[in-house]
Amino acid sequence: MKCVDKNRRLKVMTNADTPRDTLQAIKFGAEGIGLCRTEHMFFESSRILAVRQMIVAKNVEQRKKALNKILPMQRKDFEEMFTVLNGKPFTIRYLDPPLHEFLPKEDSDIRSLSKVLGVSYASLIERINDLKEFNPMMGHRGCRLDVTYPEIAEMQTRAVIEASINVKNKGIRVHPEIMIPLVGDVKELKFVKDIIIKTAKEIMDEKGVKVDYKVGTMIEVPRATILSDEIAQEAEFFSYGTNDLTQLTFGFSRDDASKYLNDYYMRGILENDPFAHLDKNGVGKLVEISIEKAKKVNKDIVLGICGEHGGDPSSIEFCHNVGLTYVSCSPYRVPIARLAAAQASIRAKQSK
Ligand code: PEP
Ligand code: MG
């Protein structure tokens, strides 16, 4: 692997949401976290109740009260992750899924939740129905949640910055990189970024400690790729979320396409699964357009990928060839990603 690392240019980061996965990935050679899906921390049984209280809240005050219960848990998660990372970059992606994913589906569970939350069964059902969407993956998720509920971004920023300060005070270096999901317009990014900057400043002034943090975005909506020259002016980094970008570019649901993709292979329409191997002709083209536009306005922008393709050798070769800085993949894919990055670099040199 020393030989591999000498030959690769791409950095290899990991997608991890727990200290255990982070440690495993570092043992495999990961150079930091490229994607921490914070919602995975919300799903834990010990905290799901507070999350549900936040969702059924009838007004901002009630919502903030519930968020205040989540804050110490999220801050503790981040402190543990920063400690394991010991100075390596930590890309923290803000809440992404539609809120209905946090609510129970079975009637008996809804009934018991109504008792625990102290709300009537009828009003809980009403809230659950309110949150139902015909196309949840194109629904009220990603940065759209922060547009409706800015207090969620406020709480997550407080958790990131307070955790950074606490860990920094113990003499451990921290590199938080805050990542906003599902941005399609620069004004969405700016809206959330302003909340982050304001909240972070308040905390740093209050504690008298400065934290160097970055704010960037995922590029996973096709519109964001063609408007990357606008978006890059407000972002310090882009991470290509090629799971959603593939879904939205093909218009194939990432959860259901496997039901019919075999017919596409059989009839020679597609050669393989675009969710596993990056579609260079379509999705890849959008990534290339985005890179060119972003670099034109922001030559220092850091560009990476954190979709499943970040651990796939043929997609990694594409990432090398288009000049990305890093790929991020699940912990067990880190060694193969390092190897694929070196092979891509050697092949590119040989073909020159
Ligand atoms: C993506 O869309 O590629 C991504 C990494 O985000 P998620 O899979 O969490 O939607
Ligand atoms: Mg996504």
Side-chain angles (χ1 to χ4, degrees):
M1 292 312 274
K2 268 190 198 146
C3 168
V4 159
D5 288 341
K6 254 200 324 231
N7 280 285
R8 70 184 162 95
R9 182 192 53 76
L10 275 173
K11 286 191 177 161
V12 177
M13 311 271 273
T14 193
N15 296 355
D17 326 309
T18 62
R20 194 162 158 260
D21 281 356
T22 310
L23 199 58
Q24 181 62 66
I26 290 174
K27 282 186 185 153
F28 281 146
E31 293 162 89
I33 292 183
L35 170 65
C36 170
R37 293 176 165 103
T38 53
E39 60 269 19
H40 290 179
M41 298 161 155
F42 280 53
F43 279 117
E44 254 185 46
S45 55
S46 60
R47 51 191 74 172
I48 188 80
L49 185 63
V51 174
R52 288 171 171 169
Q53 277 169 336
M54 185 260 295
I55 296 170
V56 301
K58 292 220 159 53
N59 51 45
V60 188
E61 283 66 41
Q62 281 185 9
R63 202 160 28 253
K64 283 193 174 170
K65 216 167 139 196
L67 283 164
N68 274 338
K69 290 187 197 162
I70 304 170
L71 171 66
M73 306 185 222
Q74 182 110 104
R75 186 174 55 219
K76 185 168 160 284
D77 288 330
F78 294 150
E79 284 171 4
E80 287 173 7
M81 304 278 277
F82 276 125
T83 308
V84 173
L85 282 165
N86 195 18
K88 293 187 170 62
F90 183 12
T91 313
I92 299 161
R93 201 264 307 271
Y94 277 11
L95 192 66
D96 184 50
L99 296 181
H100 74 84
E101 286 191 15
F102 298 100
L103 294 174
K105 311 237 165 351
E106 300 295 326
D107 194 59
S108 56
D109 293 336
I110 299 173
R111 280 187 193 281
S112 57
L113 180 65
S114 80
K115 286 196 191 104
V116 178
L117 293 180
V119 296
S120 73
Y121 172 74
S123 74
L124 187 53
I125 287 282
E126 198 185 317
R127 183 67 180 133
I128 291 173
N129 286 338
D130 265 1
L131 291 170
K132 279 207 177 109
E133 293 179 292
F134 283 107
N135 289 310
M137 289 306 276
M138 294 201 289
H140 199 191
R141 54 174 289 229
C143 62
R144 298 163 201 171
L145 290 172
D146 298 317
V147 171
T148 308
Y149 310 116
E151 50 280 3
I152 297 180
E154 260 168 49
M155 183 282 285
Q156 292 206 280
T157 306
R158 192 160 268 281
V160 173
I161 301 298
E162 288 181 353
S164 302
I165 292 175
N166 292 348
V167 173
K168 200 176 166 182
N169 283 344
K170 288 186 191 156
I172 300 169
R173 282 177 301 125
V174 291
H175 288 292
E177 310 208 348
I178 297 173
M179 182 155 80
I180 315 301
L182 221 72
V183 162
D185 191 285
V186 67
K187 287 192 199 140
E188 285 175 310
L189 173 60
K190 184 77 170 59
F191 178 83
V192 187
K193 187 179 160 185
D194 286 349
I195 297 170
I196 294 168
I197 293 174
K198 181 171 175 284
T199 311
K201 184 172 181 318
E202 271 167 26
I203 302 163
M204 291 190 290
D205 288 350
E206 194 182 292
K207 310 257 180 199
V209 181
K210 193 173 173 307
V211 176
D212 283 322
Y213 65 95
K214 289 188 177 152
V215 181
T217 183
M218 294 191 68
I219 299 288
E220 47 186 350
V221 173
R223 191 175 191 273
T225 63
I226 46 180
L227 292 176
S228 287
D229 45 351
E230 292 182 10
I231 297 174
Q233 293 180 39
E234 293 294 339
E236 284 170 275
F237 64 91
F238 277 1
S239 181
Y240 293 96
T242 45
N243 303 331
D244 274 307
L245 191 57
T246 301
Q247 166 166 262
L248 294 168
T249 302
F250 274 97
F252 286 156
S253 160
R254 59 195 267 195
D255 302 309
D256 299 311
S258 61
K259 291 180 190 156
Y260 49 83
L261 280 181
N262 270 337
D263 302 328
Y264 276 64
Y265 313 144
M266 211 168 64
R267 301 189 198 286
I269 298 170
L270 281 180
E271 269 173 33
N272 42 46
D273 181 358
F275 290 100
H277 308 292
L278 192 84
D279 157 51
K280 298 179 190 76
N281 290 344
V283 178
K285 186 54 93 198
L286 287 176
V287 170
E288 285 181 76
I289 292 170
S290 165
I291 293 172
E292 199 194 321
K293 282 177 174 276
K295 282 194 171 161
K296 217 176 253 173
V297 298
N298 181 351
K299 67 175 176 30
D300 297 324
I301 193 162
V302 174
L303 304 167
I305 181 175
C306 64
E308 286 306 304
H309 306 91
D312 166 59
S314 75
S315 314
I316 292 171
E317 178 154 21
F318 169 84
C319 295
H320 173 90
N321 291 338
V322 297
L324 294 191
T325 307
Y326 70 86
V327 297
S328 188
C329 58
S330 59
Y332 284 90
R333 289 228 181 158
V334 167
I336 200 78
R338 287 163 62 198
L339 176 63
Q343 289 173 333
S345 167
I346 292 168
R347 257 197 297 273
K349 274 185 203 144
Q350 280 173 346
S351 69
K352 264 191 194 157

